[in-house]
Amino acid sequence: MMASATRTFPKGFLWGAATSAYQVEGSPLADGAGPSNWHRFCRTPGLVKGGETGDVACDHYNRWKEDIGWMKELGLTAYRFSISWSRVLPEGTGRVNEKGLDFYRRLVDALGEAGIEPNATLFHWDLPAALEDRGGWQNREIADWFAEYARVMFRALDGRVRMWATLNEPWVVSDGGYLHGVLAPGHRSIFETPLASHNLLRAHGAAVDVYRAEGKHRIGIVVNLEPKHPATRSPQDLAAARRADAYMNRQFLDPLLLGSYPEELAGIYGEAWPEFPAADFDAIRRPIDFVGVNYYSRSVVKHEPKAWPVAAGRVRQPGMHTEMDWEIYPDGLAEILLWVGERYGKVPLYVTENGAALADPEPVEGIVHDPVRVAYLADHLRAVRRAMDGGVDVRGYFAWSLLDNFEWSQGFSKRFGLIRVDYATQKRTPKASARYYTKVIQSNGAALDE
Ligand code: FCB
């Protein structure tokens, strides 16, 4: 191991943790908020494990002060959260609900007082139900709806929020929400999928344009990336890995940063692949200030004709997996960051999510012992450092998640938090990983070498 003064992270590197509105806030209809598509999804029997909902979640809507207290105790220098569109615009467009805005005003003011840099995501999967009724991501008008909402937020919060993300993981919205039906709105249509992806990208571009007119700081987007490794060197498996990579990684980054879709997509979607207006590509490729990378695992893929629609099947690897059955593979984080740098050039990067769902034990004397998460955190942060040594401009790291929370269709069964939440009492208890993270933050990364 190399131990020298250079092993600390650059000055100003952001040490954060992340959450999202529907997963932690609870009180989805409080103070005049409108319902979201996730509110509905959870109320459709059979779609969420145990019939659970985000009605209470971590009660962060009421406990935000206490939660900022935890952030301070952890020593975080940044906090990534998302805004619930339907709290602010109950019908998605038009009337603004000031009380909903006030919640976020209070939150970012208090973060500012605590010296914690707020990083706000405009869309982390909860779409106003009223817009779902108008076709949601299928409707091209959504780019205008999103731009309108973005303008409201920039005007209200840009004084405090200096780092904005338009969308969180558009691939998951399109693949999970429109192809496989496992996330809201729960559709299963290969014809809708590329339209959803495309309109997500157009909405992103429209919000960036609004930001250039309204905002003074930085705006980017958050994507989830995963190295796709071929199971063997056979031409079929190599081609399957390339398709999987085009579908998940390049489907979004190529149009955002290069201005066109990867050519593999036409083959993957077949007759569902539409002809997109040429002007859309300019509207999508707007200059952005950073890319946020969410990283959880890699996938090893083999040619599998029945795997719809990419014909790439996952080959489960030996070795440790999290409760999500995701392989723990820290090298993949360095690999994917280096890949972004090589393919797309010098765009500043943040790791905007990274973490592990584990079967944590009950707290003992005020702490949850989670040695696997401690190792996960350390190994992934070392991987970030390797990528930086390799020349990639990484400016911050956000652990997923600050709190155990509502893990979408998995309900409350998956615990990702640095801080445990007892859902019956809402009691927060730090985990050993939270204590370890504090040491890393206080030493600006030097503790990774201990
Ligand atoms: C990501 C999501 C986040 C959380 C983690 C585990 O895909 O952005 O909300 O669910 O996975």
Side-chain angles (χ1 to χ4, degrees), residues 3-23:
S4 76
T6 58
R7 305 316 288 161
T8 56
F9 283 62
K11 200 167 163 274
F13 185 87
L14 292 182
W15 298 102
T19 63
S20 87
Y22 193 77
Q23 294 179 277

Side-chain angles (χ1 to χ4, degrees), residues 23 124-125 168-169 172 294 296 326 353 400 407-408 416:
Q23 294 179 277
H124 196 128
W125 306 0
N168 177 71
E169 301 189 353
V172 176
N294 292 355
Y296 289 94
W326 295 342
E353 286 181 27
W400 184 269
E407 179 48 33
W408 308 112
F416 276 94

